[in-house]
Amino acid sequence: MIDHQKQIVHRTAYAGDECHLPETPIKDRSEANHEQDLLVFLRQKGYRKCASCFFGSTFEEEYELHIPSRTV
């Protein structure tokens, strides 16, 4: 979930009260479901990853949304 008001990227499945996402009006939020879309916000537009839901014991701080390769 992209919070355009605060310029923060959230991991929707892990977002909670500490993210304060419900305080942002729905009109100021959008979703990014593809790596390229997310990287535009993070690298080109200066958005940052939410410290409350994007990182944690499950995720590494250098998480870059790598898509696993498929083998046949």
Side-chain angles (χ1 to χ4, degrees):
M1 179 68 63
I2 311 296
D3 180 337
H4 298 287
Q5 191 176 58
K6 297 176 189 136
Q7 296 188 332
I8 298 175
V9 175
H10 296 275
R11 298 224 5 121
T12 308
Y14 299 97
D17 292 338
E18 61 276 349
C19 299
H20 303 284
L21 189 57
E23 296 172 8
T24 300
I26 292 174
K27 68 177 181 65
D28 292 330
R29 298 186 232 165
S30 67
E31 292 185 20
N33 295 316
H34 301 284
E35 178 182 8
Q36 290 178 328
D37 296 338
L38 181 60
L39 292 177
V40 166
F41 288 103
L42 293 172
R43 292 183 179 167
Q44 296 176 10
K45 295 186 177 186
Y47 284 49
R48 63 190 189 283
K49 298 173 186 175
C50 177
S52 298
C53 66
F54 212 96
F55 305 113
S57 60
T58 306
F59 303 102
E60 295 295 324
E61 199 164 312
E62 297 297 321
Y63 183 74
E64 289 292 333
L65 293 177
H66 293 292
I67 299 172
S69 61
R70 294 184 178 187
T71 55
V72 180

